[in-house]
Amino acid sequence: MQIIERKHTNQRMSQIVIHGKTVYLAGQVGEPHHDVADQTRDALARIDVLLAEAGSSREQMLQTTIWLADMADFEAMNAVWDAWIPTGHAPARACGEAKLADPRLLVEIIVCAARG
């Protein structure tokens, strides 16, 4: 039986869940008072920190889901995303529009990655 490791856990969720050689991150968001480009940068910076803590990196991402509050922000978010993704290491990705938990949030990014 493989052990499931959870980090930064509260009653509702864990920021990191590790099962075997797979890392799952909770959805990451940016600072609510920023525009979508800055919120994307904030979320990606948080993802970098959490992946490193879990023994992974952006080069090891397997799948990503991105939720935008408004698909009109797709181009601005993608400009930041494209600069952040290492060449040749793009994960499988889905992007859609959703009503996010806080109306000031414009983007949320969910990651699954390999570890080690």
Side-chain angles (χ1 to χ4, degrees):
M1 177 188 295
Q2 290 186 344
I3 295 172
I4 298 172
E5 183 180 354
R6 302 171 199 281
K7 297 182 177 208
H8 309 290
T9 300
N10 62 33
Q11 182 62 31
R12 181 171 294 156
M13 62 187 266
S14 298
Q15 289 295 316
I16 302 169
V17 175
I18 301 167
H19 181 249
K21 295 205 177 269
T22 307
V23 176
Y24 304 89
L25 300 185
Q28 299 302 307
V29 298
E31 294 299 320
H33 60 279
H34 291 166
D35 65 16
V36 73
D38 285 337
Q39 284 191 27
T40 302
R41 282 185 201 91
D42 293 344
L44 295 175
R46 290 178 176 144
I47 288 167
D48 277 332
V49 168
L50 292 171
L51 286 173
E53 182 178 343
S56 188
S57 68
R58 64 177 91 161
E59 290 84 357
Q60 295 175 284
M61 289 192 307
L62 302 170
Q63 184 177 28
T64 302
T65 302
I66 301 173
W67 293 114
L68 290 169
D70 186 339
M71 286 305 289
D73 289 332
F74 187 69
E75 188 175 319
M77 178 278 298
N78 271 331
V80 176
W81 173 266
D82 291 346
W84 181 78
I85 290 293
T87 302
H89 296 278
R93 189 185 104 163
C95 183
E97 183 176 288
K99 186 174 182 178
L100 301 179
D102 180 328
R104 299 170 300 160
L105 295 175
L106 305 175
V107 61
E108 181 171 358
I109 304 172
I110 305 161
V111 169
C112 176
R115 181 179 187 210

